[in-house]
Amino acid sequence: QVQLLESGGGVVQAGGSLRLSCVSSGRTFSRDAVAWFRQAPGKEREFVATITRPGNPYYADSVKGRFAISRDNAKKTAYLQMDSLEPEDTAVYYCATRDTILTAPVYTRDNDYYYWGQGTQVTVSS
């Protein structure tokens, strides 16, 4: 069973930055697609960003140009750098992974992912 541990959440003013980390216990992290999702109070969980096994990033339109996803396979860690934060970014952020093949499609739905972290709270004040 793979365990994912997120960290880096907190309270920040609008316009500020945070960097989230997600550490995996999986043996084959380098072969995984990794994604970040978020869930705001009273809303459904939504896709934020994903990075494929070869390292290609994809973003939701709402965060494009402000957020950057990356990975360090040697550390079995994925990151989400969040800049120019807005109050609308307030949510619990979740890391998720699944194993893939090199020619896999880009996965952006939450039910595409097998393993999930417990989440980290991000609060952006206006």
Side-chain angles (χ1 to χ4, degrees):
Q1 182 74 8
V2 174
Q3 293 184 331
L4 302 175
L5 181 62
E6 303 101 332
S7 62
V11 180
V12 64
Q13 288 189 334
S17 298
L18 285 173
R19 188 174 84 151
L20 306 183
S21 299
C22 170
V23 180
S24 172
S25 68
R27 295 183 179 180
T28 58
F29 179 79
S30 63
R31 291 185 238 157
D32 290 347
V34 185
W36 289 93
F37 290 80
R38 67 186 181 187
Q39 188 167 21
K43 295 187 177 181
E44 293 187 352
R45 187 161 55 189
E46 65 174 359
F47 168 76
V48 175
T50 186
I51 187 164
T52 65
R53 176 174 166 177
N56 300 313
Y58 294 88
Y59 302 96
D61 288 343
S62 59
V63 306
K64 204 171 293 184
R66 300 188 298 121
F67 290 10
I69 188 171
S70 61
R71 64 190 300 160
D72 184 335
N73 290 336
K75 295 182 178 179
K76 295 195 288 185
T77 301
Y79 304 96
L80 185 67
Q81 177 67 41
M82 306 186 295
D83 298 323
S84 302
L85 282 161
E86 303 168 352
E88 294 73 25
D89 296 317
T90 295
V92 177
Y93 283 70
Y94 298 91
C95 173
T97 66
R98 61 161 293 154
D99 60 330
T100 66
I101 58 176
L102 284 173
T103 55
V106 177
Y107 299 109
T108 62
R109 300 176 307 171
D110 55 5
N111 59 7
D112 287 329
Y113 290 86
Y114 305 153
Y115 303 106
W116 291 81
Q118 292 299 308
T120 185
Q121 175 71 45
V122 171
T123 302
V124 185
S125 61
S126 57

